């Protein structure tokens, strides 16, 4: 009899909670891996070369930024949602926006929820767009320095090419003279070699700067892959609701059984 009661309570609790989950507002979650923007980082001298690209902002700082109320407000403004506490869509976004660092892949995983699959997706896109906007602003001074360096390098390259042409002309003029000017010819050849090396280094530096500022090295923060939104909502989970109901039903059945047992013992002692 006791086992039947427990089984009934278990089934009844599971059914009741599972049915109740139908009336709980549904929530979807969108997630994406985000690649943090980076900029090229040239050394101050062409002879030294380049340090290599550097991220606009560290992954840890990105995670901290996303957790700031100011950043959340900027995302809500982008979505044209109210900033107050009386808006369910705004509350869902604030309470669900999360970011974590995927160290092995050097990516940041961002997730956010919404009251529909479309809302969740738009919220995630707004988060990524706002983050990219912030990072573009942070990267702009470094990009301007790169462009100025490239401009100066092109000027230096043009100067080197002119000096190279002058050295070639000088060598040709020396070669047309008699052999009595042999030493002058040697000096002209050495100068030409020096100018060729100088022009070669200037060209390599220009090409290196062009590579540093190119899209493969200097780029904005963006989604590494298309955002993912499951077809089913993440909340409420009907299975978890049913399980919780079953646990509550069994617990109530046990409490009721203990209460009856205690009552019978009390009646017997009388």
């Amino acid at each position: 009899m006791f086992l039947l009661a427990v089984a009934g309570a278990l089934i009844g609790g599971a059914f009741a909670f599972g049915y109740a989950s139908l009336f709980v507002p549904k929530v979807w979650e969108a997630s994406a891996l985000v690649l943090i923007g980076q900029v090229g980082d040239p050394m101050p001298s062409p002879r030294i070369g380049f340090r290599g690209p550097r991220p606009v902002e560290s992954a840890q700082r990105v995670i901290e930024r996303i957790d700031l109320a100011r950043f959340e407000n900027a995302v809500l403004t982008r979505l044209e949602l109210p900033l107050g506490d009386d808006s369910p869509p705004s509350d869902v976004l604030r309470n669900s926006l999360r970011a974590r660092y995927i160290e092995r892949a050097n990516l940041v995983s961002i997730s956010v929820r919404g009251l529909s699959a479309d809302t969740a997706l738009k919220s995630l896109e707004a988060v990524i767009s706002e983050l990219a906007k912030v990072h573009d602003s942070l990267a702009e001074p470094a990009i301007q320095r790169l462009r100025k360096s490239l401009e100066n390098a092109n000027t230096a390259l043009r100067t080197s090419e002119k000096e190279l042409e002058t050295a070639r002309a000088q060598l040709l003029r020396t070669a047309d003279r008699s052999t009595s000017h042999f030493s002058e010819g040697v000096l002209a050849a050495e100068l030409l070699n020096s100018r060729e090396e100088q022009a070669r280094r200037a060209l390599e530096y220009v090409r290196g700067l062009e590579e540093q500022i190119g899209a493969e090295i200097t780029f904005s923060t963006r989604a590494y892959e298309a955002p993912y939104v499951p077809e089913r909502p993440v909340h409420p989970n009907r299975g978890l609701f049913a399980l919780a109901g079953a646990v509550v039903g069994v617990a109530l059945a046990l409490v009721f059984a203990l209460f009856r047992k205690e009552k019978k013992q009390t009646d017997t002692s009388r």
Side-chain angles (χ1 to χ4, degrees):
M1 184 67 181
F2 172 72
L3 293 177
L4 288 176
V6 170
L10 187 151
I11 295 172
F15 178 80
F17 273 58
Y19 183 73
S21 69
L22 297 175
F23 301 95
V24 176
K26 295 179 175 59
V27 177
W28 279 259
E29 183 175 83
S31 60
L33 294 175
V34 175
L35 182 63
I36 300 174
Q38 63 181 33
V39 292
D41 191 17
M43 296 292 280
S45 169
R47 292 179 179 273
I48 303 175
F50 304 92
R51 296 187 182 94
R54 59 182 176 84
V56 175
E57 191 172 48
S58 68
Q60 185 58 42
R61 182 68 184 112
V62 169
I63 294 171
E64 292 172 357
R65 181 183 297 280
I66 288 175
D67 198 39
L68 294 175
R70 181 174 56 193
F71 182 83
E72 294 173 351
N73 289 342
V75 174
L76 291 174
T77 300
R78 183 180 286 269
L79 290 168
E80 299 182 349
L81 291 174
L83 304 182
D85 298 331
D86 56 348
S87 170
S90 300
D91 290 341
V92 170
L93 188 147
R94 289 187 187 276
N95 295 330
S96 66
L97 181 56
R98 297 287 184 273
R100 62 187 180 90
Y101 181 43
I102 311 297
E103 187 172 359
R104 291 184 178 180
N106 198 27
L107 299 170
V108 174
S109 174
I110 299 178
S111 62
V112 67
R113 296 182 176 186
L115 298 178
S116 70
D118 185 59
T119 300
L121 178 59
K122 288 182 178 179
S123 296
L124 179 61
E125 291 173 343
V127 170
I128 297 174
S129 296
E130 184 62 29
L131 187 61
K133 175 185 174 183
V134 173
H135 285 177
D136 286 346
S137 178
L138 293 175
E140 185 59 25
I143 293 175
Q144 289 300 330
R145 287 194 297 271
L146 266 175
R147 289 172 177 163
K148 185 63 177 178
S149 295
L150 180 57
E151 180 182 339
N152 293 337
N154 275 311
T155 300
L157 175 60
R158 287 192 294 270
T159 300
S160 296
E161 289 173 340
K162 288 179 180 178
E163 292 176 347
L164 176 60
E165 289 302 317
T166 300
R168 284 173 177 165
Q170 178 66 27
L171 181 62
L172 288 175
R173 286 195 299 270
T174 304
D176 291 337
R177 298 181 183 180
S178 64
T179 56
S180 61
H181 297 85
F182 175 76
S183 60
E184 186 179 345
V186 171
L187 291 175
E190 290 179 351
L191 178 61
L192 177 61
N193 290 336
S194 174
R195 293 291 184 248
E196 286 178 341
E197 178 63 19
Q198 181 180 341
R200 184 187 62 79
R201 287 199 304 266
L203 179 59
E204 287 179 353
Y205 192 56
V206 166
R207 288 176 175 172
L209 284 169
E210 289 174 342
E211 182 179 345
Q212 292 289 308
I213 207 170
E216 290 190 2
I217 290 183
T218 296
F219 53 81
S220 298
T221 295
R222 61 178 184 261
Y224 182 72
E225 59 186 9
Y228 171 70
V229 185
E231 295 182 1
R232 295 183 179 181
V234 295
H235 182 80
N237 188 313
R238 195 172 301 177
L240 291 179
F241 264 70
L243 179 61
V247 172
V248 170
V250 171
L252 290 176
L254 292 174
V255 170
F256 181 72
L258 290 172
F259 177 76
R260 286 194 61 183
K261 182 178 180 181
E262 185 177 344
K263 185 177 180 182
K264 284 183 179 180
Q265 290 176 349
T266 302
D267 291 342
T268 302
S269 63
R270 289 179 182 178

